[in-house]
Amino acid sequence: MKNPLTIIVIGGGAAGFLGAVTVACRYPHAQTIILEAGQEFLAKVRISGGGRCNVTHYCFEPALLVKNYPRGGKALLGAFSRFQPRDTIAWFASRGVKLKTEADGRMFPVSDRSETIIDCLLTEAKKQGVQLRSRSPVKSLEKLGDRFSITLKTGEILNADRVLVATGSNLLGYRWARQFGHTIITPIPSLFTFKIPDSRLQNLAGISVDRVQVRLLHEGKNKLEQIGPLLITHWGLSGPAILKLSAWGARILWEHRYHLSLLINWLPDENAETLRQKFIQIKSETPRRKMFNYCPFSLPKRLWQNLLASAAISPAKVWAELSKKELNCAIAELVNGKYTIQGKTAFKEEFVTCGGVSLKEINFKTMESRKCSGLYFAGEILDIDGITGGFNFQSAWTTGWLAGSSI
């Protein structure tokens, strides 16, 4: 009788855990080991969603789901036909963890605690006999004949028949992939906020607007814009609209060293002409009211006042005295305000990387390398990234499950 296979998973995050557990469930005779460099497993799961863990997104149509991935959507289309949010929900439910859906489609454990997800994965791994080794940083990964040799920083050498690399955006993972002939698309940040030092945003930190349109001004063919909620911060702008724009524009922003112009329409249902007509109507209906005290739109009062001040309109100005020049300036500020991005800041601790192992070199039915048999990849090490809302975890669950099912 042949000796049982040894499967080693490098990386104790979401993709690595689901991959290891899936292997152990399907092939209980295999020896499955997770090697994690850090002192704790699933560290990114712990901080996700402000400690609540945004497990996935309530979207069960693969063709719609992939539209939330600036990179990797095409490759994920087939993958999601095999394991998608519905399967993620069922996987956790069958292990006693129920998920709930919020108004925006994000899904969290009913407990609102990321520990619920961590405990579930740890318990299942132990139940299936997965060997969990934290504080086990890998120094080198080589293939000798049909097997892999893994040397830990302690000097210990482990041998494996198959290896799943799920190291996230760790530079060592990219180095090993290159070593086996893989192309690495330059890893750069995605999902970040914008530094915009601008007088129009001063003293407004914490103010949010439910719906704005934001657009990057660049020379490319693709029009990069988003509509959604926006949050003014001490350093500039954040919120879903900005985070989504940062994801879709990650490469362009990086190429311009995070210095680009941003156009903001604070009233996305209006344009210059419709707004002009409304201003004329308001002048007629409320001629003696001070403009600073009467905002006819659903904008925070202090933001409205800052925008009027930027249009050189006096706090004492009444609607009837609004000149043509002032009207044009106010319209420009409201529907076509130009701001200068002067850098980026991390979005809390939930960084996401754009770039990684080229997807052309991966068999997406199995997640096996097309360059080296027996070598598999899953999770953020791949050139896949989604917008905020549970999409990045879903690609981790999906690629981990696919790898574990076929490894």
Side-chain angles (χ1 to χ4, degrees):
M1 181 179 174
K2 282 187 176 181
N3 290 328
L5 292 178
T6 297
I7 314 295
I8 290 184
V9 177
I10 306 177
F17 255 81
L18 200 62
V21 168
T22 304
V23 171
C25 282
R26 293 193 169 209
Y27 309 102
H29 297 299
Q31 180 187 28
T32 306
I33 304 167
I34 296 179
L35 300 176
E36 166 57 40
Q39 64 180 359
E40 69 170 326
F41 296 101
L42 301 158
K44 203 165 178 181
V45 171
R46 185 175 300 281
I47 62 173
S48 161
R52 296 168 62 212
C53 188
N54 185 182
V55 178
T56 187
H57 201 91
Y58 190 89
C59 178
F60 305 146
E61 292 294 332
L64 294 177
L65 191 57
V66 298
K67 290 181 179 180
N68 297 285
Y69 294 85
R71 285 147 293 270
K74 186 177 179 183
L76 285 172
L77 184 59
F80 284 151
S81 70
R82 298 179 61 201
F83 195 93
Q84 55 133 303
R86 184 181 280 119
D87 302 295
T88 301
I89 295 164
W91 194 94
F92 282 105
S94 69
R95 290 157 178 84
V97 176
K98 290 186 177 180
L99 304 182
K100 62 178 180 178
T101 308
E102 301 204 335
D104 58 4
R106 293 180 302 159
M107 299 194 72
F108 296 87
V110 170
S111 67
D112 272 333
R113 295 173 67 249
S114 56
E115 282 83 358
T116 302
I117 301 300
I118 293 169
D119 291 346
C120 174
L121 289 164
L122 287 171
T123 299
E124 188 65 17
K126 290 169 185 173
K127 177 183 172 184
Q128 299 300 333
V130 177
Q131 194 180 133
L132 302 177
R133 297 188 56 173
S134 60
R135 294 175 178 162
S136 299
V138 174
K139 182 180 179 182
S140 66
L141 169 64
E142 301 173 284
K143 192 170 188 186
L144 305 174
D146 292 334
R147 303 193 84 204
F148 293 88
S149 176
I150 295 170
T151 304
L152 303 186
K153 284 191 177 178
T154 59
E156 181 183 359
I157 297 174
L158 303 172
N159 295 309
D161 299 281
R162 315 269 192 277
V163 171
L164 169 58
V165 181
T167 48
S169 54
N170 187 298
L171 295 178
L172 275 174
Y174 300 137
R175 187 191 301 172
W176 298 328
R178 265 199 204 95
Q179 175 188 310
F180 287 105
H182 282 281
T183 305
I184 304 299
I185 311 301
T186 304
I188 61 171
S190 181
L191 287 185
F192 47 85
T193 62
F194 296 164
K195 281 185 181 176
I196 303 179
D198 192 292
S199 61
R200 289 167 288 183
L201 306 177
Q202 276 184 0
N203 304 315
L204 299 181
I207 283 179
S208 62
V209 184
D210 290 340
R211 196 164 172 271
V212 302
Q213 180 189 57
V214 287
R215 180 157 63 93
L216 282 179
L217 281 182
H218 67 101
E219 296 173 356
K221 293 179 182 178
N222 295 332
K223 189 177 181 182
L224 290 171
E225 67 179 33
Q226 290 290 327
I227 294 179
L230 178 144
L231 173 68
I232 300 172
T233 66
H234 289 289
W235 59 86
L237 295 175
S238 183
I242 295 296
L243 293 170
K244 289 177 184 178
L245 191 64
S246 78
W248 289 100
R251 287 270 165 215
I252 288 165
L253 283 156
W254 177 71
E255 287 164 5
H256 288 83
R257 300 189 178 187
Y258 307 101
H259 282 71
L260 271 180
S261 291
L262 178 76
L263 287 183
I264 301 181
N265 182 347
W266 296 99
L267 304 168
D269 294 324
E270 306 287 350
N271 57 43
E273 193 47 46
T274 61
L275 197 56
R276 185 182 308 280
Q277 296 306 316
K278 287 193 176 180
F279 267 55
I280 291 170
Q281 183 181 349
I282 294 162
K283 280 182 69 175
S284 170
E285 293 175 352
T286 59
R288 304 316 303 167
R289 294 194 72 169
K290 288 184 179 179
M291 292 186 70
F292 265 57
N293 295 339
Y294 175 53
C295 174
F297 309 103
S298 56
L299 288 177
K301 188 175 181 180
R302 284 194 291 145
L303 172 62
W304 165 255
Q305 291 174 344
N306 277 17
L307 294 175
L308 291 183
S310 183
I313 294 172
S314 162
K317 178 78 66 175
V318 296
W319 279 93
E321 295 171 352
L322 185 66
S323 70
K324 186 176 179 180
K325 182 181 178 182
E326 290 169 332
L327 183 144
N328 288 336
C329 288
I331 288 171
E333 285 293 348
L334 285 162
V335 300
N336 206 32
K338 193 173 182 180
Y339 297 75
T340 303
I341 300 167
Q342 295 185 25
K344 66 172 181 62
T345 57
F347 175 53
K348 300 180 182 176
E349 295 171 288
E350 299 176 44
F351 62 91
V352 171
T353 301
C354 149
V357 177
S358 172
L359 306 187
K360 295 176 183 177
E361 300 164 357
I362 304 295
N363 178 347
F364 259 74
K365 290 182 179 177
T366 63
M367 302 313 299
E368 186 174 15
S369 162
R370 295 187 188 276
K371 301 284 185 177
C372 175
S373 62
L375 181 66
Y376 295 74
F377 293 94
E380 200 181 347
I381 190 172
L382 298 162
D383 184 23
I384 295 174
D385 63 288
I387 61 174
T388 183
F391 300 104
N392 288 295
F393 268 132
Q394 185 54 54
S395 66
W397 306 130
T398 295
T399 54
W401 183 88
L402 287 173
S405 298
S406 57
I407 204 166

